[in-house]
Amino acid sequence: QVQLVESGGGLVQAGGSLRLSCAASGRTFNLYRMGWFHQPPGKEREFAAAIDWNGGATYYGDSVKGRFTISRDNTTNTVYLQMNSLKPEDTANYYCAAYPSGAGWRYWGQGTQVTVSS
């Protein structure tokens, strides 16, 4: 069981950068694949990025590939999403999630809002 709390969202101009953080509780954090999802206004939640338990492999949705980078620090139970070259269409609520083996995206944070102005 883990609890996830996102932070780092805010307002940024197009072309700018933000780094989101997800603080996880529980010693089992180190065993979970972690991910980020985003949900634009009026749209469904969409996969953005994921990282394996040991940080050895990462995965990205097509809309963010090449611009966003997911990373994790298991010593501090934190996962990050570095967002560069932000576009207005990146405006969304961003959610951190955890994926125990074989269980799907089981644990979710409350989200942090990112707004990109044109």
Side-chain angles (χ1 to χ4, degrees), residues 18-76:
L18 284 174
R19 188 177 74 163
L20 306 183
S21 298
C22 174
S25 65
R27 293 190 296 267
T28 55
F29 169 82
N30 290 357
L31 304 178
Y32 295 160
R33 175 173 293 179
M34 301 295 297
W36 289 93
F37 292 73
H38 54 174
Q39 186 171 16
K43 305 293 184 181
E44 294 184 345
R45 191 174 301 184
E46 182 181 58
F47 171 78
I51 186 166
D52 283 347
W53 69 271
N54 63 354
T58 57
Y59 313 86
Y60 296 96
D62 289 342
S63 67
V64 307
K65 187 177 181 180
R67 299 187 298 118
F68 292 8
T69 303
I70 189 171
S71 61
R72 69 190 296 164
D73 184 348
N74 288 349
T75 68
T76 59

Side-chain angles (χ1 to χ4, degrees), residues 69-107:
T69 303
I70 189 171
S71 61
R72 69 190 296 164
D73 184 348
N74 288 349
T75 68
T76 59
N77 290 356
T78 305
V79 61
Y80 303 96
L81 186 68
Q82 178 66 47
M83 305 186 295
N84 298 327
S85 302
L86 283 162
K87 305 174 181 179
E89 51 262 45
D90 295 320
T91 294
N93 201 13
Y94 283 74
Y95 297 89
C96 179
Y99 192 135
S101 180
W105 296 104
R106 184 175 179 178
Y107 305 109

